[in-house]
Amino acid sequence: EFVMNSLANCYYNGKGTEKNFKKAFYWYQKSAENCNKDAMYNLAMCYKNGEGTVKNLEKAFYWFQKAAENENSNAMFSLAICHENGEGIVKNLKKAFYWYQKSAENGNNNAMNNLAICYENGKGMEKDLEKAFYWYQKAAENGNNDAMNNLSVCYRNGKITEKNLEKVFYWHQKAAENNDTFAMNNLGLCYEIGEGTAKNIKKAFYW
């Protein structure tokens, strides 16, 4: 089933052959039916985006769930999104929280950021600002740009942690270096008004 999934990836990405979503879908399905968890996830994405097949959110949800139950962290994250937005299933914030947590604990930095948002806003569980800060930090340290920006907001408004303008600057800079346009704009403002760093109009203009 691993070979089938690899073959599907070749068709999907046009590696060594012409791009062909229909053939990619065919081989993802074959591999998924043979219990390959990565193929289950890839098949779900095909159904979600209507690639190589007709868009079908119920089938996408089914295969995300199968892959998540087989410990695929990306599928856990996608399953959480399905539960949060009611895609292919009735909206359920508690289940969304559950799968964000599972995915975050399996190292998915997008899930870490979304888990932090759940904790900050009390989505699917009780509000817990300490845990929100913990997961924003974890996600940011694992390279998630959204979390870096969220962490900057935490340090700017002092709601979740102590106000610290140097750290506001630090995390905007990290995200900006990762080509995040929101962070670039904020970094420029930091240089313009001297927030968390020395005023520098040249650098403000650059960013």
Side-chain angles (χ1 to χ4, degrees):
E1 80 275 359
F2 173 77
V3 175
M4 293 177 197
N5 186 56
S6 299
L7 181 60
N9 284 336
C10 291
Y11 280 121
Y12 187 86
N13 298 311
K15 262 175 101 176
T17 184
E18 275 184 40
K19 252 188 194 189
N20 188 322
F21 287 150
K22 277 191 177 172
K23 284 186 179 175
F25 173 79
Y26 172 82
W27 286 110
Y28 283 142
Q29 193 167 32
K30 281 284 208 199
S31 184
E33 284 163 359
N34 277 281
C35 300
N36 182 295
K37 65 181 179 183
D38 294 330
M40 290 173 187
Y41 171 73
N42 292 331
L43 184 61
M45 289 301 289
C46 288
Y47 277 122
K48 183 177 182 171
N49 300 319
E51 289 172 334
T53 187
V54 177
K55 189 173 179 171
N56 186 323
L57 294 181
E58 286 77 16
K59 284 187 177 175
F61 175 82
Y62 171 82
W63 285 108
F64 281 140
Q65 191 162 35
K66 290 283 277 185
E69 286 164 358
N70 280 280
E71 302 299 311
N72 182 300
S73 71
N74 289 328
M76 291 171 188
F77 175 69
S78 297
L79 189 58
I81 288 173
C82 291
H83 281 300
E84 185 175 4
N85 300 327
E87 291 175 5
I89 189 77
V90 177
K91 194 172 179 171
N92 187 323
L93 294 181
K94 279 190 177 172
K95 285 187 178 174
F97 172 79
Y98 172 81
W99 285 108
Y100 281 139
Q101 192 168 33
K102 287 279 281 184
S103 183
E105 286 165 356
N106 276 276
N108 186 300
N109 66 25
N110 290 314
M112 291 173 191
N113 181 59
N114 285 22
L115 184 60
I117 292 168
C118 290
Y119 275 122
E120 186 178 0
N121 301 306
K123 280 168 84 175
M125 44 66 65
E126 277 182 40
K127 210 182 249 198
D128 188 326
L129 297 183
E130 265 184 41
K131 284 185 180 172
F133 181 73
Y134 170 82
W135 284 108
Y136 279 139
Q137 198 161 29
K138 197 113 164 95
E141 285 164 359
N142 278 276
N144 186 285
N145 288 347
D146 289 337
M148 291 175 193
N149 288 320
N150 289 333
L151 205 49
S152 291
V153 171
C154 295
Y155 280 119
R156 178 174 279 122
N157 64 26
K159 192 176 85 172
I160 290 180
T161 189
E162 275 183 42
K163 206 169 182 174
N164 186 324
L165 297 182
E166 283 78 17
K167 287 193 175 173
V168 171
F169 173 79
Y170 172 81
W171 286 111
H172 279 322
Q173 189 173 36
K174 289 286 275 186
E177 285 165 359
N178 287 335
N179 298 319
D180 185 277
T181 50
F182 176 79
M184 288 175 184
N185 184 47
N186 280 304
L187 187 60
L189 288 172
C190 288
Y191 277 121
E192 190 180 344
I193 62 174
E195 186 181 70
T197 188
K199 225 181 206 188
N200 189 321
I201 299 303
K202 268 190 184 174
K203 284 187 177 175
F205 180 74
Y206 172 80
W207 286 106

